[in-house]
Amino acid sequence: MTTPAPRRPRQDAVDNRAGILSAATAAIAHDPHASIDTIARSAGLSRRALYGHFADRNTLVGEIIDTGAERFNRIALSVSDTAAPLALARLTSLLWQEAAHVQVAASIALDDAHLASTGKALAPLRAAVAAILQRGQNDNTLRTDVDVATLARLVEEAARAAITRVDASLPEARSLAVRTTLSMAGLSWRETVALLEEHPEILGAAAAGGAAGAGGTAAAGGDR
């Protein structure tokens, strides 16, 4: 007896689920503790309709984590620059282009209830960052006063602070995130400005000009 193929979800159900995930991503980026009611209203659905797609808030948040992590991990694997500072700058910039997902991931990561699952889902990204930092320490292009595991944690915390405290809609937001990350990794603000001027594609031509003009005031790195 032939087993019937599983039925595909109806298109409206697929659309509703995608809408819920999008609304939840935006809501949690704005408020890490956004309730199911808030998310349902944002998606234009009732609480009951939302529960037709997700058993509870934790299930919904879990899917957001997994979806965002897949995007971040793919980005990490796409960066192939051999120079560590350039690779770190490009990775940060590419991640920032996913601003809404980056901000919600950071918000969720601040919640102890999801810290373990977030860390596990982002393991490939963290491994890529650690590899870049190790490469930079090996050739002395990044700071060597701390071990690579500690440096990776410092870079992650600096990036998270920028993500959670900067309005992603601001034109200088991506530049600030990149410069903050490079500063924590050991570049002076002058070195960062020089790198971004040499590689304007990292931020886009318009943003790179602004980065050069604001390098001394917004970057956290000291002059060496």
Side-chain angles (χ1 to χ4, degrees):
M1 184 176 180
T2 303
T3 302
R7 296 177 60 184
R8 291 185 178 181
R10 290 171 48 187
Q11 188 58 47
D12 59 345
V14 172
D15 292 344
N16 282 344
R17 187 178 183 88
I20 292 169
L21 287 172
S22 178
T25 297
I28 294 175
H30 177 71
D31 175 9
H33 304 291
S35 67
I36 283 290
D37 286 334
T38 298
I39 294 169
R41 285 196 301 271
S42 298
L45 299 172
S46 67
R47 181 189 181 101
R48 181 175 180 179
L50 188 148
Y51 279 129
H53 295 275
F54 298 95
D56 52 36
R57 189 180 186 280
N58 281 339
T59 303
L60 173 57
V61 170
E63 185 152 342
I64 293 173
I65 291 172
D66 291 341
T67 300
E70 287 178 9
R71 297 165 75 123
F72 301 155
N73 294 335
R74 284 198 302 269
I75 289 171
L77 294 175
S78 75
V79 175
S80 58
D81 301 285
T82 54
L86 178 58
L88 187 60
R90 195 180 306 282
L91 176 57
T92 304
S93 180
L94 289 172
L95 289 173
W96 189 261
Q97 290 180 15
E98 302 288 335
H101 288 279
V102 170
Q103 289 197 314
V104 75
S107 296
I108 291 172
L110 293 174
D111 184 349
D112 290 342
H114 302 286
L115 193 59
S117 56
T118 303
K120 182 178 180 180
L122 292 174
L125 171 59
R126 284 176 162 172
V129 171
I132 291 171
L133 297 176
Q134 184 66 73
R135 199 159 68 240
Q137 287 193 334
N138 291 344
D139 62 15
N140 289 312
T141 56
L142 298 180
R143 62 188 295 182
T144 59
D145 58 324
V146 293
D147 62 87
V148 71
T150 301
L151 182 55
R153 182 63 182 268
L154 291 173
V155 166
E156 182 175 329
E157 291 300 324
R160 183 181 300 169
I163 289 164
T164 55
R165 295 179 182 274
V166 176
D167 183 349
S169 66
L170 294 175
E172 67 270 22
R174 182 156 53 124
S175 171
L176 180 58
V178 171
R179 288 181 283 120
T180 299
T181 301
L182 291 177
S183 172
M184 185 55 70
L187 271 69
S188 71
W189 70 265
R190 294 184 188 277
E191 291 170 327
T192 294
V193 168
L195 185 152
L196 294 177
E197 287 180 341
E198 184 177 355
H199 299 276
E201 79 283 356
I202 290 177
L203 299 178
T217 58
D223 192 5
R224 290 203 299 243

